[in-house]
Amino acid sequence: MADGVPTWEEVARDHGRFLYNVAYRLAGNDSDAQDLVQEALLRVRKGLERYQPGSLEGWLARIVTNVFLDEVRRRRRRPADALPEDPDWVLPPAPAADQVFTGLSDDVPAALASLPDEFRSAVVLCDVADLPYEEIAESLGVPVGTVRSRIHRGRRLLRNALLSTGETA
Amino acid sequence: VNARPAPDDRLSAYLDGELDAAERADVDGYLAESPEWRAERDAVAYARDALRGLSVHEVPAGFWEGVLSPELTRARARRRSRLPRLVAAATAGVAVAAVVIASLVIPSPDSVTPRVPALSDSHAVRTSVSDEPVSQLAALSMITPYRR
């Protein structure tokens, strides 16, 4: 690594696991995640000369998210994935105080995959890649207020999906 | 009396430490007073914890060997770079052809040299031996020099 700028091989070797995990949470399956990672690494290779030393994993998360959103735009979103028009949909009852999430369920990835792409991108960048809102806004090309809204609504949708699959039952 | 707003996206920002001091104080106040705000906070915290509690999804065996193989990487890069280059070359070719055709078909305004006086002279000579009255008027054009 010279002047804080890693080589392409170092990126793949040292941060590949992180990159793949973000790609997998965005795509929801291994096949698409592998395509995302390969495309992201090509963009990383081209962009390394312009990389400013800083949060490398944040930079990688932004790249793979952009690859994902480009692919989504290319394929055209299915009607079922359209953003909800009504922001005030009914929130199911909150779980009881003793219903603490254990984080071990297979339902979470499925619930995450069921979110509309814009919401999934926002919550993955926040809760999987652990980026601050400002960086998420930059990645998605939207204002910070929009990021805040998408994360909140995405979490509500995720919780509803988990409840509907009996996560807390 | 300030009405308390309905729970909103400040709650997620609150959990993520993304609020400034004033907003945080507001949310603290709402949470202290309102079961509705507390229920919403618990709901989004539940989803947030679920996501953050996910284990890292491991890369399938053999994936990196394929990705990092120089041959595969070069092949993908070539495939990706070929199309833009072809498009650029085709665009440049069309532009050059258009310029060449335009230069052949469209005459330059500066290259036009009107020969009106000479034509007028010859026409006057021809009509001077004719009895046709209108044509004989052409001889008058010799009196007025041509100006652009």
Side-chain angles (χ1 to χ4, degrees):
Chain A
M1 185 183 295
D3 300 327
V5 179
T7 65
W8 183 74
E9 288 75 13
E10 286 172 334
V11 169
R13 186 188 63 224
D14 299 340
H15 303 279
R17 189 168 179 252
F18 168 83
L19 182 64
Y20 191 90
N21 189 46
V22 174
Y24 180 80
R25 297 305 176 200
L26 288 168
N29 64 76
D30 276 311
S31 175
D32 288 341
Q34 290 174 21
D35 288 343
L36 289 184
V37 168
Q38 291 191 33
E39 178 63 27
L41 285 174
L42 284 174
R43 294 192 190 184
V44 166
R45 194 172 203 175
K46 287 181 180 175
L48 268 177
E49 293 171 3
R50 298 188 301 276
Y51 170 69
Q52 300 292 318
S55 170
L56 179 60
E57 292 197 340
W59 184 61
L60 294 174
R62 288 201 296 274
I63 290 176
V64 77
T65 303
N66 284 328
V67 173
F68 169 70
L69 292 174
D70 287 348
E71 181 64 16
V72 166
R73 291 184 198 107
R74 195 182 68 78
R75 289 184 182 180
R76 294 182 182 177
R77 191 175 301 116
R78 295 184 306 252
D81 287 343
L83 292 174
E85 295 295 327
D86 178 13
D88 298 319
W89 64 86
V90 176
L91 183 67
D98 59 346
Q99 291 177 316
V100 178
F101 179 74
T102 62
L104 299 175
S105 173
D106 291 338
D107 292 335
V108 179
L112 179 62
S114 74
L115 297 187
D117 302 313
E118 284 82 358
F119 294 167
R120 186 160 71 254
S121 302
V123 296
V124 165
L125 287 175
C126 182
D127 292 326
V128 176
D130 204 23
L131 296 189
Y133 284 16
E134 189 76 39
E135 283 190 39
I136 297 172
E138 192 179 318
S139 304
L140 301 179
V142 298
V144 172
T146 303
V147 168
R148 195 158 93 170
S149 172
R150 287 185 185 177
I151 288 172
H152 189 70
R153 293 172 67 180
R155 284 172 177 165
R156 286 182 64 174
L157 284 173
L158 182 70
R159 176 195 175 267
N160 293 353
L162 290 172
L163 289 182
S164 70
T165 56
E167 173 60 35
T168 59
Chain B
V1 178
N2 290 333
R4 185 172 53 237
D8 56 32
D9 57 21
R10 280 177 289 180
L11 278 169
S12 278
Y14 177 88
L15 294 171
D16 294 328
E18 293 275 355
L19 293 182
D20 60 31
E23 283 184 311
R24 189 164 191 85
D26 286 343
V27 173
D28 278 332
Y30 301 147
L31 288 172
E33 299 166 2
S34 166
E36 193 184 2
W37 273 76
R38 287 195 293 275
E40 176 89 356
R41 177 202 56 195
D42 292 346
V44 291
Y46 177 81
R48 182 177 184 272
D49 292 345
L51 281 174
R52 290 177 178 253
L54 284 173
S55 57
V56 172
H57 184 80
E58 295 297 343
V59 182
F63 173 67
W64 290 117
E65 287 74 8
V67 169
L68 295 175
S69 98
E71 294 77 17
L72 179 63
T73 303
R74 277 196 294 271
R76 284 178 61 92
R78 273 199 306 273
R79 197 165 61 242
R80 283 175 50 79
S81 63
R82 196 173 297 148
L83 183 59
R85 285 181 185 173
L86 285 174
V87 170
T91 304
V94 168
V96 168
V99 169
V100 169
I101 291 170
S103 67
L104 293 175
V105 171
I106 304 172
S108 167
D110 293 335
S111 66
V112 176
T113 305
R115 299 189 299 120
V116 174
L119 293 172
S120 180
D121 286 351
S122 64
H123 187 66
V125 169
R126 279 202 310 276
T127 56
S128 65
V129 295
S130 165
D131 291 334
E132 202 274 306
V134 175
S135 295
Q136 286 180 359
L137 292 176
L140 296 176
S141 66
M142 296 174 65
I143 299 170
T144 307
Y146 171 76
R147 289 191 184 89
R148 294 191 70 178

